[in-house]
Amino acid sequence: TEYRGVRVWECPPNGAGLAALIALNIAEGFDIQSMGFQSAETYHHLIESMRLAYADALGYVGDPAQVNIPVSRLLDKDYASQRRSAIGWDKVLQHPHAGNVYKPSNTAYLTVIDEKGNGCSFINSLYESFGTGLVVPETGIALHNRGALFSLDPKHPNALSPGKRPYHTIIPAMATRGDELWLSFGVMGGFQQPQGHLQVIANMVDFGLDPQQALDALRFSIQIGDGVAVESEVPLQTQEELRRRGHSVIVYGDENRSLFGGGQIIERDPNTGVLKAGSEPRKDGCAIGW
């Protein structure tokens, strides 16, 4: 999808990339820049956009080989406008659910861009720390347990059944301006991934931050069915304003910092070819140029 002239590319279903794009479409209709960098108002509107996007993604995404996923409708700007209208300036949405589209912890991320502007955005993950706990004999290769993300509701698009791919959270991404690569980026961390994409894109597009600043910035993390977590450095006044608007705010400090994801970003200037990179301060990682 396009967010204020920047085209953001995500992996298709059965992954969670759709959630990031839906959230960007919804947030695009708000003047985020005028709300102020990491103000309560900015947080509120991004959080609510993300909550609606997750309601849609968790309601419709499954294995595209076995279920019909209305991707074009979910990414339609008019649909985003309808969803956006549910967001109040001063009040949290109660129990957001999927829209009706038929009406008008161990993950590693790597990105590389070469001197010609070719980019690779790549994620590898077992999901849980040791995946299934099963290891291929004589190899040391542990098998993932992404099947844990199936739904047990037999009527759900993501219902567990043989030969079917589950909803998953791995979504390396890119962004282009015009026909040129602008960003190759990713934010690891399970259900935090599309939330991290929304926040770093808003940081860079709306507030002009560079890759490292965009990653250093404080983040929120929607906890499905359990409110929204913020980092302990978020000002108390901002936390209280979010609570006043109806958000159930959970505050996490250093011992839970990985909850907010871990990202890497390379930014490319299409005119000069100059590369800027940033690496996540909350997890291991580095940016290297040679």
Side-chain angles (χ1 to χ4, degrees):
T1 193
E2 287 207 3
Y3 182 78
R4 311 195 203 287
V6 171
R7 184 164 290 183
V8 181
W9 303 80
E10 298 279 359
C11 295
N14 51 314
L18 202 57
L21 299 182
I22 294 169
L24 286 165
N25 278 347
I26 295 171
E28 187 180 36
F30 299 119
D31 188 355
I32 298 296
Q33 185 179 35
S34 71
M35 295 177 186
F37 179 58
Q38 299 204 319
S39 67
E41 191 172 1
T42 292
Y43 272 128
H44 171 73
H45 286 84
L46 293 180
I47 289 168
E48 294 295 83
S49 297
M50 195 70 244
R51 290 178 72 216
L52 283 172
Y54 253 133
D56 279 341
L58 294 176
Y60 289 107
V61 172
D63 183 351
Q66 297 200 28
V67 296
N68 179 35
I69 305 167
V71 173
S72 60
R73 177 60 179 158
L74 288 168
L75 291 181
D76 184 79
K77 296 290 188 178
D78 288 337
Y79 177 71
S81 180
Q82 292 174 25
R83 297 294 272 161
R84 188 184 307 117
S85 66
I87 297 175
W89 178 85
D90 203 35
K91 189 175 293 185
V92 69
L93 278 163
Q94 297 298 318
H95 311 297
H97 52 78
N100 188 344
V101 298
Y102 302 105
K103 291 184 180 178
S105 348
N106 61 326
T107 304
Y109 175 78
L110 169 72
T111 179
V112 180
I113 297 181
D114 69 14
E115 73 279 5
K116 296 180 181 178
N118 301 303
C120 175
S121 186
F122 179 84
I123 287 181
N124 186 56
S125 177
L126 292 175
Y127 191 42
E128 300 293 340
S129 296
F130 292 95
T132 59
L134 301 175
V135 177
V136 180
E138 301 180 9
T139 69
I141 298 172
L143 302 181
H144 71 77
N145 68 324
R146 289 279 167 180
L149 289 179
F150 275 121
S151 170
L152 296 182
D153 178 355
K155 296 181 180 179
H156 195 281
N158 188 40
L160 174 65
S161 66
K164 190 175 182 181
R165 293 175 290 173
Y167 179 99
H168 73 79
T169 60
I170 302 173
I171 49 169
M174 290 185 172
T176 54
R177 277 184 159 149
D179 294 326
E180 291 289 335
L181 176 63
W182 179 48
L183 302 177
S184 184
F185 72 102
V187 180
M188 303 164 282
F191 284 85
Q192 180 66 6
Q193 294 192 46
Q195 305 189 56
H197 290 197
L198 169 68
Q199 291 172 78
V200 298
I201 288 291
N203 287 341
M204 296 188 72
V205 175
D206 290 307
F207 299 107
L209 303 190
D210 66 32
Q212 192 60 59
Q213 291 170 326
L215 291 168
D216 290 347
L218 299 172
R219 296 192 194 121
F220 65 80
S221 178
I222 294 167
Q223 305 299 290
I224 306 298
D226 194 28
V228 61
V230 299
E231 297 188 80
S232 56
E233 292 82 359
V234 171
L236 289 175
Q237 181 179 356
T238 303
Q239 296 178 31
E240 289 306 313
E241 176 60 20
L242 289 171
R243 290 189 177 99
R244 189 189 68 76
R245 296 180 184 215
H247 294 280
S248 177
V249 177
I250 310 160
V251 180
Y252 284 134
D254 288 340
E255 69 279 8
N256 298 107
R257 194 72 69 181
S258 63
L259 171 74
F260 299 96
Q264 271 76 40
I265 302 172
I266 302 176
E267 178 183 13
R268 179 178 182 271
D269 186 322
N271 296 316
T272 64
V274 170
L275 303 177
K276 298 178 186 176
S279 184
E280 179 62 51
R282 299 164 185 81
K283 291 185 175 183
D284 290 340
C286 60
I288 300 174
W290 76 96

